[in-house]
Amino acid sequence: MSLHRLTQVVMGVPDVERTAAYYREFGLTPGAEPAPTAPRSRPSPVLSTVDGGEQLRIVHSARRRLVELGVGADHPDDLDRVASALMRLGVPIERTPTAVSAVDLGTEVLVRVEIAPRYEQRPARLPAYNVPGVDGRLQERAPGILREGPVRPRKLGHVVLGSTDHEASQRFFEQGIGFKVSDSVKDQGAFMRCSSDHHNVLVHQAPVAFLHHTSWQVDDVDEIGRGATAMLAADPDRHTWGLGRHYIGSNFFWYLKDPAGNFSEYYSDLDCIVDDALWKPGVFEGVQSLYAWGPPMPPSFLAPDDLAALMTGAHSPQG
Ligand SMILES: [Fe+2]
């Protein structure tokens, strides 16, 4: 596959500093602030994951939204292919020697495909479990209880975007950028990948374009529990949904809410698709298709509390 990962997201929020502080607490590492482009331009903090480097930039926006999504490609030829595919769809593009960018109208996100190195992930130490008939861990306590220090997300895994036209957004990502559909929810949206991860982008139908969540990979389910527990100890109102296991994608999840209203997910053990021929995409229906087990999904998960406010502000000139 010529596309191989998400590179970076640029998140627009009304309160940049508060949101940046949240993601530092979430476990991302602050990076060097880029030099301001103009003398009085606003700060735009950059935060890093362990394996993906600078993967989150936060900029000012009157309403919360995903401003930009970066997708890594191997070679300039890949950019040529993306550029011509987008042009065939009638999508205006901007091309530089190292990137091609275009806006998906349904999600209002600028997608930037750029030449980027592939991930080289240091393998996590597999926890040994005691299961019936197999004593995998003898004479020692489980590593999950002994870990200390903050949870550090390994990489940006996926983003979920509300689209005012999910079919057009799917066309943009699938036929234009080159994502593959892993699974879909009937008449609602599609889980798409640009890597071996089950999904890197999910677009779903919504009354307004908005960022539903960003999702960050951690080593295992213990790290999800440790990370969410620490975040909730500092502010219980951040709790959104978890701990659970998704059905589509299979990953363990726990969702929290940042100060701007975006959800952020710790995840582990997502399905991995390396041979397209051996994966059969499914079409699912209903809420149960979203999770195998976990607490009941709160209504505010699918329709966030600020959706009406986002709709009112959707056409704000600063948005
Ligand atoms: Fe997710």
Side-chain angles (χ1 to χ4, degrees):
M1 198 185 272
S2 55
L3 306 177
H4 54 83
R5 66 173 174 116
L6 298 185
T7 52
Q8 189 185 66
V9 282
V10 179
M11 186 189 282
V13 295
D15 188 335
V16 171
E17 193 34 57
R18 263 186 82 208
T19 308
Y22 171 94
Y23 284 97
R24 286 196 295 272
E25 215 178 316
F26 188 78
L28 303 184
T29 308
E33 192 126 331
T37 47
R40 289 176 55 201
S41 65
R42 298 169 189 264
S44 58
V46 179
L47 295 120
S48 295
T49 58
V50 173
D51 297 325
E54 295 179 346
Q55 295 206 283
L56 172 63
R57 187 153 69 87
I58 302 175
V59 300
H60 178 264
S61 168
R63 67 182 169 101
R64 68 180 183 89
R65 58 187 289 252
L66 188 66
V67 176
E68 192 175 314
L69 173 68
V71 177
D74 285 322
H75 195 269
D77 290 350
D78 302 321
L79 304 182
D80 294 339
R81 180 191 53 75
V82 172
S84 41
L86 285 168
M87 285 191 288
R88 269 198 305 279
L89 289 179
V91 177
I93 61 159
E94 193 184 309
R95 178 70 203 263
T96 69
T98 57
V100 52
S101 310
V103 174
D104 169 47
L105 295 177
T107 58
E108 299 177 10
V109 172
L110 177 78
V111 177
R112 187 181 139 82
V113 184
E114 58 193 346
I115 307 292
R118 289 181 173 244
Y119 284 125
E120 286 182 31
Q121 291 200 288
R122 174 182 53 78
R125 191 181 152 226
L126 275 180
Y129 289 107
N130 292 328
V131 297
V134 184
D135 295 327
R137 187 186 69 253
L138 299 172
Q139 313 300 125
E140 58 174 330
R141 300 179 202 277
I145 68 164
L146 299 174
R147 293 173 188 163
E148 291 175 346
V151 166
R152 295 287 179 213
R154 299 286 294 263
K155 68 174 187 182
L156 167 68
H158 60 266
V159 298
V160 173
L161 300 165
S163 168
T164 52
D165 186 342
H166 77 96
E167 286 172 348
S169 291
Q170 179 174 336
R171 244 187 337 269
F172 176 93
F173 280 100
E174 188 183 9
Q175 295 171 25
I177 306 291
F179 280 59
K180 293 176 179 175
V181 174
S182 299
D183 284 310
S184 47
V185 179
K186 194 166 183 281
D187 301 327
Q188 288 298 314
F191 292 74
M192 295 178 280
R193 66 185 186 278
C194 63
S195 72
S196 58
D197 294 339
H198 175 277
H199 54 280
N200 301 106
V201 168
L202 159 60
V203 287
H204 68 90
Q205 190 63 33
V208 62
F210 76 104
L211 171 59
H212 185 273
H213 71 266
T214 56
S215 188
W216 304 86
Q217 183 193 49
V218 294
D219 282 357
D220 58 21
V221 68
D222 278 306
E223 291 301 88
I224 295 178
R226 280 193 340 109
T229 301
M231 292 295 279
L232 298 180
D235 182 356
D237 289 341
R238 290 168 170 169
H239 178 69
T240 300
W241 189 31
L243 170 73
R245 187 153 196 155
H246 278 304
Y247 188 91
I248 301 177
S250 305
N251 53 303
F252 294 109
F253 66 82
W254 200 323
Y255 293 89
L256 304 161
K257 187 161 72 172
D258 78 17
N262 307 294
F263 301 139
S264 62
E265 176 187 18
Y266 289 118
Y267 83 92
S268 71
D269 197 25
L270 183 76
D271 289 338
C272 186
I273 302 171
V274 290
D275 186 339
D276 297 340
L278 297 180
W279 181 263
K280 196 171 173 307
V283 179
F284 297 89
E285 272 186 90
V287 163
Q288 280 307 324
S289 67
L290 294 182
Y291 69 116
W293 56 261
M297 184 175 66
S300 62
F301 184 73
L302 284 187
D305 295 335
D306 63 349
L307 209 54
L310 289 174
M311 289 167 72
T312 312
H315 302 293
S316 149
Q318 297 175 66

